[in-house]
Amino acid sequence: MRDPRRNPVPARYRYPRKAEREQGGNRRRWAAIGAGILALVIVAAVGAFLMLRDGSPPIDEGERAAVVAFTEDVLDVEVKREGVLAEFGQVGIDIRTTEFSVVFRTLESVIAKQEQLAGEIRSIDSPSNVTALAHTLFIDSYERELEGYELLNKVAGQAQAIFPDSTPRRLRRLDGYGNATSKIRAANRSRERAYEELQELLGRVGLTFEDLSSGN
């Protein structure tokens, strides 16, 4: 039993400053941690400011040359494709003509030219890994388009055999028509993605399509 004469006051009342010292130590530790975090934030902010002030990192001239050469080669093939596309417009995926002879003549010509263009787009030198994705997307677009033309020509032959006294527009009722047109539409989607990728690549080297077309 505690002797009240020796310790008249319990320890927790006799040493009230001990808890205060412990609390003060905790506050100092948290203050030190907060100061460290604040210092890190300040350093990061200063780094971001310097980066923005100095601008983007320098452009790799080798990468720039690779992107420019690839883009120019692709655009050369794309100009030729515009002529093929205009020729295909005589028929179109909605079958605008009423003569089977026009369908076959047009599609056979378009298929032959598209085969050549698909070969040209495949043979383009891709001197840098950065252009690999765009190159793959362009190849996919040309090959899908070619497959669509070939299927449409095949379905036209089936339609002529099934509906000899009708117009080519009857081929739209055949199952193969939807497959043919879906490939042509998929080719357009691949081309759109390819141009988006190409535009991003040009932006990385500080150029635009307009810069190339103007000869800058």
Side-chain angles (χ1 to χ4, degrees), residues 40-111:
L40 290 175
V41 172
I42 292 172
V43 169
V46 170
F49 170 77
L50 293 175
M51 184 178 295
L52 291 174
R53 186 190 65 180
D54 296 337
S56 301
I59 293 171
D60 186 318
E61 290 302 324
E63 181 177 315
R64 179 189 177 109
V67 171
V68 169
F70 174 77
T71 303
E72 289 176 341
D73 288 342
V74 166
L75 294 180
D76 284 344
V77 182
E78 283 286 276
V79 170
K80 299 175 186 177
R81 174 189 168 269
E82 289 299 321
V84 175
L85 198 62
E87 185 176 354
F88 176 66
Q90 299 176 59
V91 176
I93 60 176
D94 54 350
I95 316 301
R96 296 169 188 156
T97 180
T98 59
E99 301 294 331
F100 274 107
S101 60
V102 175
V103 172
F104 295 129
R105 183 175 64 250
T106 301
L107 289 178
E108 287 170 5
S109 175
V110 164
I111 288 169

Side-chain angles (χ1 to χ4, degrees), residues 121-208:
I121 204 76
R122 283 192 297 267
S123 66
I124 288 177
D125 185 20
S126 184
S128 172
N129 288 334
V130 297
T131 60
L133 176 57
H135 196 188
T136 299
L137 289 169
F138 274 113
I139 292 172
D140 181 70
S141 69
Y142 276 79
E143 292 182 344
R144 283 177 183 261
E145 211 160 38
L146 176 59
E147 290 173 2
Y149 296 154
E150 291 173 336
L151 282 172
L152 201 58
N153 194 44
K154 181 179 179 180
V155 176
Q158 294 172 347
Q160 187 181 43
I162 297 172
F163 312 111
D165 300 324
S166 185
T167 68
R169 292 176 182 174
R170 294 293 294 272
L171 71 85
R172 292 182 295 187
R173 298 186 180 183
L174 301 182
D175 293 338
Y177 170 78
N179 191 18
T181 56
S182 67
K183 284 186 177 294
I184 294 174
R185 292 189 175 97
N188 290 331
R189 290 193 294 271
S190 289
R191 180 171 285 100
E192 288 173 1
R193 293 197 298 272
Y195 269 107
E196 289 172 0
E197 176 68 14
L198 204 53
Q199 187 173 26
E200 183 176 336
L201 290 176
L202 289 171
R204 283 172 53 178
V205 298
L207 293 172
T208 64

